[in-house]
Amino acid sequence: MALASLQSIPAAPRRWSRYRHPQSTIRFAVLLAVLTFLAWSVAFLNVDLLRILGAFPRLAEILATRYFPPDLNYVSDADFIRSVIRTLEMSLLGGFFGVVFSIPLAWLAARNITFSRRIAYPLGRFAIMGSRSIHETIWTILFVTVLGFGMLAGTLALTVFCIGFAGKLFSDELEAIDMGPVDAMRSVGASPLQVFQYAVLPQVRVAFTGIAIYTWDVAFRAATVVGFFGGGGMGWYLKRTTQQLESTRVAAILLVIIALVLIAEIGSGWLRRRISRMR
Amino acid sequence: MRHEKNIAESRATRGSTADTVASMSILQVRNLKVSYAASGPQILKGIDFAVDGEDFCAVIGPSGAGKSTLIRCINRLVEPTEGDIVLFGQSVRPLRGSELRHLRRRIGMIFQEFNLVNRMSVMDNVLSGRLGYTGAFRSFFKAFPREDIDRALHLLERVGLQDHVDKRADALSGGQRQRVGIARALMQKPEILLLDEPTSALDPKISRDVMRLIRELATEFKVPVLCNIHDVQLALESCNRIIGMQDGYKKFDGPSKGMRKQDLDEIYAMEVL
Ligand SMILES: Nc1ncnc2c1ncn2[C@@H]1O[C@H](COP(=O)(O)OP(=O)(O)O)[C@@H](O)[C@H]1O
Ligand SMILES: [Mg+2]
């Protein structure tokens, strides 16, 4: 039987290519257009590759003469250390509230489990994309003009930033869940909240924890510059020293930022690896 | 039994003889049509049938015939486009929000892919069958009432999983997982069971065991069953009535004993292989 039906299959067409005529032509044209644009940009901007390469030794020279040695006394000062702690506090608060608010928004903005595709979905998407589309420093400037200088403005800016950052990642994660358990919980007559808790959360809990930690890590990096625009924390010291051309102090502050961000990144990476093993 | 009370009620409220006869059926489906997209193809093209109190009814047909679509319309996991579904004397299509949830909790459903929550324990999976009856506060803290816990333990024993109560659902074999699915559905004290190919993901030997268990429990709890099956042999063995579907139409409806080879050939005529 099987053999007979195999033999009756008509001979395969002789010519085969991955992309057929209109598709292949379009691909080729797009590639050509991109390359042309790149070449034109290089020519138009007068980008001189040799000068770019030459910039690196010059940068090293300036760093060595003006920024060295870093003024470590300046960063051991109690006021500065207090501002570092405030930066940490802002990142924790902003990260926490950002994550808390972004979960319901992500729920609305996940196509598969949203309350309504006509109303809730676009609202959730709009809120998340709105937070993302404006850079965190601009949020800081906006909140500082409304609320005045200080940590409150910075914390709010970081919260909005985290809503955009975590909300996008959360809703992507929600859209990838297995809908089987959701069907099962709906069919026992569970309410939307019960469906979320019993069928959705168990599937995303590990990923959400990882994302929350990652969000804090990114929020901390953002928090170091929020102060530059009046949002509180160590960024203010950066602004003052750069404006007064105190290069060795700037160097010390930059070293502290690099060290802290590295520590935060290594710590959060380690935690996330631990958690993802709990799957 | 609950549905008997319900029938009695609908009899009392309506009264006319024709309606009395009609409401003898627990489930009636009339002229059911479904398309998933407004401009898409029609998947069900006008299905009529009724299920009575003692039925163990199989829906057979080649894959793609619309069996899952049909069964998922009954508890509105899929929205019908046209026609009527009357369950327990109540029209299903107009129900919204909590009315719909109250109907759903009276319908047990068992799925081909089990649809357990893998990262929850077997016990929590079974208990989740009671969610429709559990208040928001209790369910939030997973504080199910004592009698639900007792019932869950009893059912787990009944399906032979008493030694796996605290395991995670994904630590079980396929057959064991489907038994959890069965226990979860029975937690609802369902008045009808909808089964969507409950054994298609299992190997033949386990399939027969699971099917026998479902049959036993359905008889024990006096629940009518509407069951999609791809495997004709299994359907003829375990069900007393057969509905044959092909390409969105009902092609056969009758007792499994009366089914002839030519009926089967007609239902499966479209299937290649
Ligand atoms: N969610 C869906 N969206 C669009 N089409 C679907 C969906 N589910 C099923 N279909 C289509 O409906 C038809 C019948 O499917 P189904 O009811 O699953 O059949 P069966 O269970 O008999 O195999 C198939 O052609 C399938 O592609
Ligand atoms: Mg199916």
Side-chain angles (χ1 to χ4, degrees):
Chain A
M1 261 281 286
L3 211 65
S5 63
L6 268 184
Q7 281 163 352
S8 67
I9 291 175
R14 265 160 302 169
R15 277 160 53 81
W16 181 90
S17 61
R18 191 167 303 281
Y19 306 114
R20 298 277 154 73
H21 162 64
Q23 217 189 354
S24 55
T25 316
I26 291 168
R27 273 163 191 268
F28 183 68
V30 168
L31 185 66
L32 202 68
V34 169
L35 286 179
T36 316
F37 178 75
L38 279 180
W40 177 76
S41 309
V42 169
F44 181 80
L45 289 175
N46 241 334
V47 181
D48 184 344
L49 288 177
L50 283 179
R51 254 182 77 194
I52 293 179
L53 288 178
F56 287 103
R58 287 228 316 272
L59 187 67
E61 193 188 312
I62 289 174
L63 281 180
T65 52
R66 278 199 232 151
Y67 287 79
F68 193 83
D71 185 353
L72 293 177
N73 279 335
Y74 186 74
V75 295
S76 342
D77 178 52
D79 280 346
F80 181 78
I81 291 173
R82 219 169 288 132
S83 82
V84 171
I85 292 171
R86 261 185 237 124
T87 307
L88 190 68
E89 283 168 1
M90 285 199 307
S91 71
L92 284 171
L93 284 174
F96 176 78
F97 286 114
V99 165
V100 166
F101 290 126
S102 63
I103 287 178
L105 284 176
W107 185 358
L108 300 185
R111 240 188 121 66
N112 50 347
I113 54 171
T114 184
F115 289 99
S116 88
R117 290 199 182 165
R118 293 247 183 77
I119 304 159
Y121 175 74
L123 274 180
R125 287 292 294 232
F126 180 78
I128 291 171
M129 273 167 42
S131 316
R132 280 168 71 77
S133 59
I134 296 176
H135 195 265
E136 67 260 28
T137 55
I138 296 174
W139 279 122
T140 312
I141 294 167
L142 285 176
F143 282 116
V144 167
T145 46
V146 178
L147 300 165
F149 293 102
M151 275 182 66
L152 181 63
T155 307
L156 278 177
L158 289 174
T159 304
V160 175
F161 164 67
C162 289
I163 287 176
F165 186 82
K168 176 77 171 64
L169 294 176
F170 282 160
S171 65
D172 284 352
E173 201 65 42
L174 288 175
E175 285 184 343
I177 62 165
D178 171 13
M179 287 299 280
V182 174
D183 283 346
M185 290 299 97
R186 281 183 181 156
S187 70
V188 305
S191 68
L193 212 63
Q194 289 172 329
V195 172
F196 191 74
Q197 187 191 353
Y198 281 78
V200 179
L201 265 191
Q203 295 191 54
V204 296
R205 207 167 39 212
V206 172
F208 271 27
T209 315
I211 291 170
I213 295 169
Y214 187 35
T215 304
W216 167 75
D217 170 356
V218 177
F220 180 72
R221 206 172 318 163
T224 56
V225 292
V226 153
F228 202 97
F229 303 90
M234 63 197 287
W236 182 76
Y237 286 85
L238 194 60
K239 182 185 174 105
R240 201 174 66 179
T241 48
T242 45
Q243 284 188 340
Q244 297 178 352
L245 302 177
E246 297 168 329
S247 307
T248 54
R249 289 181 172 176
V250 172
I253 294 172
L254 287 179
L255 281 181
V256 171
I257 290 179
I258 290 170
L260 288 174
V261 167
L262 272 181
I263 291 170
E265 204 165 298
I266 291 168
S268 97
W270 177 80
L271 254 181
R272 277 184 285 140
R273 269 195 306 280
R274 291 282 310 249
I275 285 165
S276 71
R277 241 178 275 145
M278 283 165 30
R279 263 168 212 281
Chain B
M1 288 252 41
R2 198 139 157 204
H3 58 253
E4 280 160 8
K5 189 171 138 255
N6 215 290
I7 290 168
E9 271 169 16
S10 60
R11 225 178 257 163
T13 49
R14 290 183 184 172
S16 93
T17 343
D19 268 356
T20 311
V21 173
S23 63
M24 290 300 285
S25 307
I26 288 185
L27 169 68
Q28 290 160 265
V29 174
R30 297 193 205 108
N31 190 32
L32 180 66
K33 296 183 181 172
V34 177
S35 340
Y36 280 99
S39 56
Q42 205 167 50
I43 306 299
L44 296 184
K45 300 164 181 167
I47 301 276
D48 291 273
F49 68 93
V51 174
D52 297 328
E54 316 80 60
D55 274 349
F56 197 112
C57 180
V59 180
I60 63 170
S63 76
K67 306 184 294 294
S68 303
T69 305
L70 170 64
I71 222 159
R72 290 164 70 88
C73 278
I74 293 167
N75 63 358
R76 293 260 307 275
L77 287 179
V78 169
E79 290 296 338
T81 357
E82 222 184 293
D84 269 324
I85 299 172
V86 180
L87 186 60
F88 316 131
Q90 195 178 8
S91 188
V92 170
R93 284 191 61 197
L95 299 181
R96 294 277 169 271
S98 67
E99 291 170 335
L100 178 60
R101 293 203 295 277
H102 285 161
L103 180 81
R104 278 176 174 171
R105 65 188 191 182
R106 298 165 69 187
I107 310 169
M109 188 154 188
I110 298 174
F111 301 84
Q112 178 175 357
E113 303 295 338
F114 325 130
N115 289 1
L116 305 181
V117 181
N118 282 333
R119 291 181 195 166
M120 271 190 341
S121 70
V122 168
M123 186 66 177
D124 279 340
N125 268 290
V126 175
L127 282 172
S128 68
R130 289 305 287 174
L131 280 178
Y133 293 92
T134 310
F137 187 77
R138 272 184 179 279
S139 75
F140 185 81
F141 293 101
K142 298 196 174 171
F144 289 90
R146 187 74 237 170
E147 63 263 29
D148 288 354
I149 294 172
D150 290 341
R151 185 177 168 80
L153 288 172
H154 169 75
L155 284 172
L156 279 170
E157 194 163 330
R158 191 66 189 72
V159 299
L161 291 176
Q162 60 277 14
D163 298 332
H164 304 276
V165 174
D166 288 316
K167 282 194 187 159
R168 256 171 60 144
D170 53 7
L172 302 183
S173 71
Q176 290 172 326
R177 284 191 220 189
Q178 194 55 296
R179 285 161 192 267
V180 177
I182 295 168
R184 176 175 67 189
L186 291 175
M187 272 311 275
Q188 296 172 244
K189 301 187 183 154
E191 295 159 59
I192 187 170
L193 275 175
L194 306 176
L195 318 187
D196 191 2
E197 307 209 24
T199 61
S200 295
L202 307 173
D203 62 53
K205 160 85 173 61
I206 310 275
S207 287
R208 281 182 163 65
D209 291 347
V210 166
M211 211 55 207
R212 195 175 314 122
L213 179 69
I214 292 174
R215 228 197 124 82
E216 259 173 49
L217 289 166
T219 318
E220 183 179 325
F221 292 98
K222 298 197 176 58
V223 200
V225 176
L226 185 65
C227 176
N228 286 348
I229 310 191
H230 187 73
D231 178 347
V232 180
Q233 199 52 45
L234 195 59
L236 292 173
E237 279 170 25
S238 28
C239 305
N240 56 20
R241 183 175 155 206
I242 305 272
I243 292 173
M245 281 184 65
Q246 186 203 73
D247 193 26
Y249 293 105
K250 184 172 94 173
K251 284 284 164 118
F252 179 88
D253 190 348
S256 43
K257 293 202 185 63
M259 191 132 195
R260 291 157 309 166
K261 173 131 192 344
Q262 93 192 56
D263 298 323
L264 277 178
D265 286 346
E266 194 186 343
I267 296 168
Y268 285 92
M270 304 244 301
E271 199 169 45
V272 229
L273 273 182

